[in-house]
Amino acid sequence: MPSGPATPAPRPVLASLPAYRPGRPPAPVAGLTAYKISSNENPYPPLPSVLAVVREAAAGINRYPDMGNTALRGALAERLGVGVGQIACGTGSVGVLGQIMTAMCEPGDEVVFAWRSFEAYPIVTALPGARPVPVPLTSGHEHDLPAMLGAITSRTKVVLVCTPNNPTGTIVPDADLRLFLDAVPPHVLVVIDEAYLEFVTHPGAPDSLSIARDFPNVVVLRTFSKAYGLAGLRVGYAVAPEPLAEALRATATPFGVNLLAQAAALASLEAIDELTVRVKELVAERERVEAALAVQGWRLPASQANFVWFPLGEDTAAFAEVCERRALTVRPYGTDGVRATIGEPEASDRLLEIAARWRAARA
């Protein structure tokens, strides 16, 4: 009998992967309406027009979806002013990011990204055997582009730039990003992750599609999960140079973007005016929350996303626990801070109440 493990063993790298921790729903508290602002979800229900299209499409779920995402890629290409061959779709932007890592990385390669940033980055990096290279954020909770540039080595295959950054909400300015790209070796792929693009109002934010036209080593990553409110259907996409977009389509899970997701995404693009109104309302609510927190004495990084960041350090867990006792779940990140999503105004009011009491208790 051959020697070896008694049972089939998974790859050792899985044992060392950090766990992705989704936002938890709130536990009920007597006398209080519970609110979940621990996940970056759109609080609005689906648009009636989108829901009607999804219901109609559901009659055909005995059939496979279009594996090439032909209609969706065509609609995106027309809206964005790029070639259809430049679009690759997947199961949310994180799914497309996984396709990028599969296409680009081999064991021993390196992937550079800011930290703290999107929690999935070290996971999707390690799965193909690449090595995560996290670079600390600046004291202002922004990408430290010079330090990221210094972290690039001969083994670097991919650099990830999350703007607005999850969970701090800060942007990478267009001018700074272009200077950074000028210095990045042309064989290194730079992924601009724009999951929160639609909430950006800052005039200095990057014009990523223009950047991608000027730098052939840039891929732009976007999603329908946040502003479009389709988090439960999982559909995202990349805009990439055609050869790379073709590789991303080749590494996608066959039929991964399901029938309902494609129908909902197409309907959402048709309903962009209605969705824009909702986004503006969420941005206005974000600005209301930020202004109220500033009056309370909080000094938080200016957010360009649909959340605010409390850099609480060692008090992170305690603040999250206080929120939970008030039927509000936020998203704690170790000993770095707490992210609170902008949701219903009532949830924002609860957050402001808790934040005011927290500040007063520590005055």
Side-chain angles (χ1 to χ4, degrees), residues 12 87 114 127 157 161 177 180 287 306 309 363:
I87 304 289
L127 281 172
K157 279 291 183 69
V161 177
L177 186 51
F180 175 73
E287 292 172 348
N306 67 332
W309 172 248

Side-chain angles (χ1 to χ4, degrees), residues 220-243:
V220 177
L221 197 58
R222 294 180 178 176
T223 184
F224 283 88
S225 294
K226 315 300 181 186
Y228 289 89
L230 302 183
L233 285 176
R234 315 307 304 128
V235 54
Y237 62 95
V239 181
E242 287 202 20

Side-chain angles (χ1 to χ4, degrees), residues 6-356:
T7 58
R11 293 166 57 213
V13 69
L14 299 184
S16 61
L17 287 181
Y20 186 94
R21 303 186 186 280
R24 295 189 300 105
V29 175
L32 291 174
T33 301
Y35 297 103
K36 177 190 176 189
I37 57 172
S38 54
S39 295
N40 287 333
E41 298 163 331
N42 192 317
Y44 293 105
L47 287 172
S49 60
V50 174
L51 201 53
V53 168
V54 171
R55 287 194 181 107
E56 182 178 351
I61 59 173
N62 58 310
R63 303 293 185 184
Y64 285 107
D66 171 17
M67 190 172 119
N69 315 123
T70 308
L72 179 55
R73 288 173 54 222
L76 285 168
E78 182 178 357
R79 182 168 295 277
L80 302 175
V82 300
V84 174
Q86 292 181 258
I87 304 289
C89 299
T91 53
S93 57
V94 70
V96 184
L97 181 59
Q99 294 161 224
I100 291 171
M101 296 303 180
T102 301
M104 293 297 299
C105 294
E106 296 179 312
D109 290 338
E110 295 176 348
V111 177
V112 174
F113 50 83
W115 197 253
R116 186 173 286 271
S117 194
F118 182 33
E119 193 173 11
Y121 288 166
I123 299 173
V124 297
T125 297
L127 281 172
R131 187 173 77 87
V133 182
V135 177
L137 297 170
T138 68
S139 60
H141 313 284
E142 299 170 324
H143 280 56
D144 189 338
L145 294 180
M148 291 176 68
L149 191 62
I152 295 174
T153 72
S154 60
R155 299 308 305 263
T156 304
K157 279 291 183 69
V158 180
V159 175
L160 305 175
V161 177
C162 187
T163 179
N165 186 47
N166 177 15
T168 63
T170 53
I171 61 162
V172 178
D174 188 281
D176 294 353
L177 186 51
R178 286 178 176 274
L179 286 173
F180 175 73
L181 288 164
D182 279 333
V184 172
H187 66 275
V188 173
L189 181 68
V190 178
V191 178
I192 304 176
D193 186 348
E194 292 190 311
Y196 304 94
L197 167 72
E198 292 82 2
F199 302 104
V200 175
T201 58
H202 195 291
D207 182 346
S208 61
L209 293 179
S210 174
I211 289 172
R213 285 192 291 269
D214 294 339
F215 294 89
N217 61 329
V218 166
V219 168
V220 177
L221 197 58
R222 294 180 178 176
T223 184
F224 283 88
S225 294
K226 315 300 181 186
Y228 289 89
L230 302 183
L233 285 176
R234 315 307 304 128
V235 54
Y237 62 95
V239 181
E242 287 202 20
L244 183 54
E246 184 178 357
L248 301 188
R249 293 192 292 272
T251 57
T253 301
F255 305 109
V257 183
N258 69 56
L259 187 77
L260 304 185
Q262 293 189 52
L266 281 165
S268 295
L269 291 174
E270 290 293 326
I272 191 65
D273 291 342
E274 291 178 86
L275 288 166
T276 299
V277 171
R278 290 182 166 190
V279 168
K280 287 181 177 178
E281 290 174 353
L282 287 171
V283 168
E285 181 66 3
R286 178 190 75 202
E287 292 172 348
R288 179 181 81 90
V289 169
E290 288 186 307
L293 289 169
V295 169
Q296 292 177 10
W298 292 91
R299 296 295 176 260
L300 309 183
S303 176
Q304 288 290 295
N306 67 332
F307 52 81
V308 292
W309 172 248
F310 294 83
L312 288 161
E314 297 294 334
D315 287 333
T316 294
F319 185 85
E321 184 179 342
V322 170
C323 289
E324 189 158 2
R325 290 203 297 266
R326 295 287 296 158
L328 184 77
T329 50
V330 293
R331 179 67 171 83
Y333 287 83
T335 56
D336 290 333
V338 164
R339 187 192 69 198
T341 298
I342 301 301
E344 302 88 342
E346 296 81 4
S348 298
D349 290 341
R350 182 83 50 81
L351 176 67
L352 292 173
E353 168 205 321
I354 294 166

